[in-house]
Amino acid sequence: MRLRLRNVFLVYFVVSLVGLFCALRELGRPCPCPPPEPERRRGRSVGVSGGEGLPPIYVVTPTYARPVQKAELVRLSQTLLHVPALHWVVVEDAAAPSALVGGVLAASGVSFTHLSAETPPELRGGPGAPSWLFPRGAEQRNRALRWLRDTRRPDEPGVVYFADDDNTYSLRLFEEMRSTRGVSVWPVGLVGGLRLERPLVAGGRVVGFHTGWRPERPFPLDMAGFAVGLRLLLAHPRARFDPRAERGFLESSFLGGLVTPGQLEPRADNCTQVGVWGVLGAFGGLWGLVNPGQLEPRADNCTQVLVWHTRTEKPKLRQEEQLQRQGRGSDPDIEV
């Protein structure tokens, strides 16, 4: 009996030692299970999601109430969701942020800030006034600029881009702009009555612009065609969009505030001669008014289109209006 008990204890001891040895050996090995899925990016009022180590991109989007507003914000949000190190600043043309836009942002998965700034009645135009009578979105973009100046430090890296909610954006565009230090530029498709507008580049420097409408503008660029370094923006606290700017001059009113006279380089015999913007393909302009050589060309020296000035067709709701008059309109509690 004693021999049997001793044998049992001996076997138990040996098994315990083997088990302990195996456990110690496994401690140094990585877990064989698959890694957990990354946490889904959530919308936040501050901060930037993902892309650790990358300079953040602040995308500013003015928006206003209309039947296609939610559809366009959803579409844009699903593009921005794929861009790392991005913060979306959405500014409504309203007295206060709306639940509709807030719901889209909260569900988007994009880091965001939701603001509002109402356009004064005198800058809206009367009934039947053409939409181009006053520049749209100036007050909202200026509200976003104020938020950036209030919340970002002067030495923070970053890029600021003004993205309307009805345009179409290639993901590559955001990587092209990420290294912006001053003002980077690129072509925009389907704008200004042309297939594309673009800066003209020679020797890696912008020498002019291909544009067909008001080529004498200081910066004949579409809003979607440039990005600004955050440090440059914060170093020029008076740069803003002029809500009373002449048609087509809204971009120039802002960019002109980022260039000081001392930075300009004279051209055309010390600015005494009138010349043309750029080389073959340009339509004319004035040398010396600004220095296009300060601009940073992107998109393969401005030869590739990565953003398009698209517009959603205005929906025809005549049947809806007819049914509403009959008291049979679509359920108003269903958000469209």
Side-chain angles (χ1 to χ4, degrees), residues 70 126 142 165 194 218 302:
K70 182 177 181 180
N142 286 335
D165 55 11
L194 298 175
C302 298

Side-chain angles (χ1 to χ4, degrees), residues 73-298:
L73 287 173
V74 167
R75 179 176 57 196
L76 178 54
S77 74
Q78 292 180 359
T79 296
L80 301 182
L81 184 61
H82 296 282
V83 183
L86 181 142
H87 189 82
W88 196 14
V89 184
V90 179
V91 190
E92 290 190 68
D93 187 350
S98 70
L100 183 148
V101 174
V104 170
L105 297 176
S108 69
V110 180
S111 172
F112 70 88
T113 293
H114 186 191
L115 305 170
S116 66
E118 193 169 21
T119 300
E122 64 271 16
L123 296 179
R124 291 182 181 274
S131 59
W132 47 261
L133 188 60
F134 294 103
R136 176 172 282 167
E139 298 289 347
Q140 292 72 46
R141 295 184 184 96
N142 286 335
R143 177 66 184 91
L145 294 179
R146 189 164 79 249
W147 179 84
L148 286 166
R149 287 164 175 148
D150 289 345
T151 61
R152 306 297 101 174
R153 299 189 311 272
D155 61 341
E156 280 192 49
V159 182
V160 181
Y161 181 54
F162 301 96
D164 291 346
D165 55 11
D166 56 352
N167 288 345
T168 302
Y169 304 91
S170 166
L171 291 177
R172 184 184 152 196
L173 175 68
F174 299 96
E175 297 314 310
E176 291 279 332
M177 73 175 70
R178 196 178 293 277
S179 60
T180 300
R181 305 180 104 190
V183 179
S184 57
V185 293
W186 46 80
V188 179
L190 309 177
V191 66
L194 298 175
R195 290 179 58 249
L196 75 156
E197 286 185 342
R198 73 182 186 99
L200 298 166
V201 180
R205 291 169 59 89
V206 175
V207 297
F209 300 89
H210 172 73
T211 183
W213 188 80
R214 299 296 297 270
E216 73 276 8
R217 288 174 291 161
F219 291 91
L221 293 165
D222 183 76
M223 192 71 68
F226 67 90
V228 177
L230 178 63
R231 289 171 177 166
L232 175 66
L233 174 69
L234 299 181
H236 293 77
R238 300 184 66 179
R240 63 189 295 273
F241 294 93
D242 182 1
R244 299 181 182 275
E246 186 181 351
R247 180 188 178 191
F249 283 74
L250 186 62
E251 295 86 350
S252 294
S253 72
F254 169 66
L255 291 172
L258 300 176
V259 179
T260 62
Q263 292 175 303
L264 300 181
E265 299 177 6
R267 294 292 188 271
D269 195 15
N270 286 327
C271 305
T272 61
Q273 298 177 6
V274 176
V276 295
W277 275 118
V279 291
L280 184 64
F283 287 87
L286 298 176
W287 282 107
L289 189 57
V290 295
N291 172 24
Q294 291 178 286
L295 305 177
E296 303 166 17
R298 296 290 190 271

